Amino acid sequence: MTRMRPALLALALLAPSAALAQETEDDGYEIIVSGMLKEDEGIVVEAVPRCYERDGDPLDRVPVSLGVGEQRVIGPDADGTMRWRPDDEPLLGPAIWQRAGNAIGDYRFRVPIEPDKPICIGAKAYATNGFAQLRRIVSSEGMHGRYLHFSARVSTRKAGLVRFWLATGDERNRRGLGGDTRDSPLQGTHGWRTVHLVVGPVPDYANHVSYGFLLQGRGDAWLSDAKLEVLTREQAQAVASLPISRVGNARPR
C-alpha cells in the first residue's frame, strides 16, 4: 500500500549500545562511528553498509523482471509455490515480510531467519526509477475499534526516498486511509532513527492490516525492531503527543 495520507511521523536518534551489539552479531557488517553520546547512551551510527542478500534465501531464486512495471508481489499461488504475480495483497501473517513493488527486480532484499535481526532493501544499480517494499499483512481480528501503532528503527545509506505506512483493508482489498510518511520522506544517509505511525479506530469493515516500508530510487534502507501494537485511544494519544505527530482516522475510500 503506497497511496495514503500522512497520519503520524516522529523521527528521533536512537542507538543504544545493546541494540547495536545485537545488529552486528553474526551479520558481520560495518558500523561507522561518527561521535559519542553520553556514556550510558551508546554511540551514534552514521550509516549502514549496502544491503546484501541472505545466503540460501529461496525468494532470491523466484524469477522476476528488471525495470519498472505494474505493482507485483512475490507470494504463493494456488499450490503454495512462491511466484512473482500481480499484487493482491495476500494475507500471510506476521511471520512473513512480503517483497512487493513496481521494480523489485532492481533491488536486493535481506530478511534473516532470526526475527530479531535487521532487514533491508538495496538498489542493485546506482539509480532506479521504481520502488520496492518489505511489508507484513496480518488479520485485523481483535483490532476493530482500537488504535494501531507501528514502530521501527531505520538507518539509510544514500537513499533516494524511504517511506513507511500503516493501513487497513477489507476482503475485496479496498484500502482504508492510514498513516503514511510521504510528506516527510527519509532521504540520503542517516544513522539509526525511530519512526512511529498511529491510526485508528480500526473500522468494522477491515479484515487485514498492512504495514512496512519502501525504498524508491537508489541507495539502501535497513529496518530493525519493527513492531505492531494494538492500543486504546488513551495510549494512542500518548504516542501522538510526540513532536510533529497526530492520530489519524482509518476510513474507507
Side-chain angles (χ1 to χ4, degrees):
M1 295 183 180
T2 59
R3 303 181 296 276
M4 291 164 280
R5 297 177 185 173
L8 184 153
L9 172 63
L11 294 173
L13 286 174
L14 178 63
S17 56
L20 290 173
Q22 166 190 305
E23 289 168 4
T24 57
E25 182 181 359
D26 297 330
D27 278 340
Y29 64 74
E30 173 188 20
I31 294 293
I32 302 172
V33 180
S34 65
M36 298 295 295
L37 296 175
K38 294 180 181 179
E39 185 175 351
D40 61 347
E41 293 182 300
I43 59 177
V44 176
V45 180
E46 179 65 23
V48 286
R50 297 296 308 273
C51 184
Y52 58 100
E53 297 95 339
R54 174 171 64 85
D55 290 343
D57 191 332
L59 296 187
D60 289 335
R61 298 194 295 269
V62 176
V64 298
S65 297
L66 300 177
V68 180
E70 66 176 350
Q71 179 154 328
R72 299 175 73 90
V73 64
I74 294 180
D77 60 14
D79 64 5
T81 302
M82 299 299 284
R83 301 189 188 281
W84 183 59
R85 57 186 179 81
D87 188 6
D88 59 354
E89 299 180 358
L91 200 162
L92 302 181
I96 304 298
W97 283 102
Q98 301 178 22
R99 300 181 184 189
N102 67 357
I104 60 177
D106 294 346
Y107 292 87
R108 297 183 180 91
F109 299 84
R110 180 176 178 82
V111 179
I113 295 174
E114 304 91 335
D116 59 342
K117 297 293 185 180
I119 65 177
C120 66
I121 305 172
K124 293 179 180 179
Y126 178 78
T128 174
N129 293 322
F131 67 87
Q133 306 173 344
L134 281 172
R135 71 187 187 196
R136 285 171 167 163
I137 301 182
V138 301
S139 169
S140 59
E141 183 178 356
M143 300 178 183
H144 299 113
R146 307 287 294 280
Y147 289 77
L148 303 179
H149 175 209
F150 168 39
S151 62
R153 297 195 307 124
V154 58
S155 186
T156 61
R157 177 183 292 276
K158 299 180 180 179
L161 182 149
V162 179
R163 281 170 41 199
F164 301 83
W165 76 90
L166 169 63
T168 61
D170 67 5
E171 69 281 357
R172 290 180 290 170
N173 292 317
R174 291 185 306 173
R175 297 167 182 171
L177 293 182
D180 191 305
T181 63
R182 68 169 60 224
D183 287 351
S184 301
L186 195 61
Q187 297 174 289
T189 298
H190 294 275
W192 289 100
R193 297 163 176 244
T194 300
V195 62
H196 298 275
L197 290 94
V198 171
V199 299
V202 176
D204 292 339
Y205 76 85
N207 78 331
H208 68 268
V209 175
S210 171
Y211 63 98
F213 72 111
L214 68 79
L215 172 64
Q216 181 173 349
R218 68 171 186 155
D220 303 87
W222 289 77
L223 201 72
S224 180
D225 303 318
K227 182 167 56 175
L228 180 67
E229 299 176 289
V230 180
L231 306 179
T232 65
R233 180 173 177 81
E234 291 72 22
Q235 291 170 327
Q237 287 175 329
V239 175
S241 66
L242 295 170
I244 58 171
S245 64
R246 65 184 178 86
V247 172
N249 292 323
R251 302 187 303 272
R253 74 177 184 191

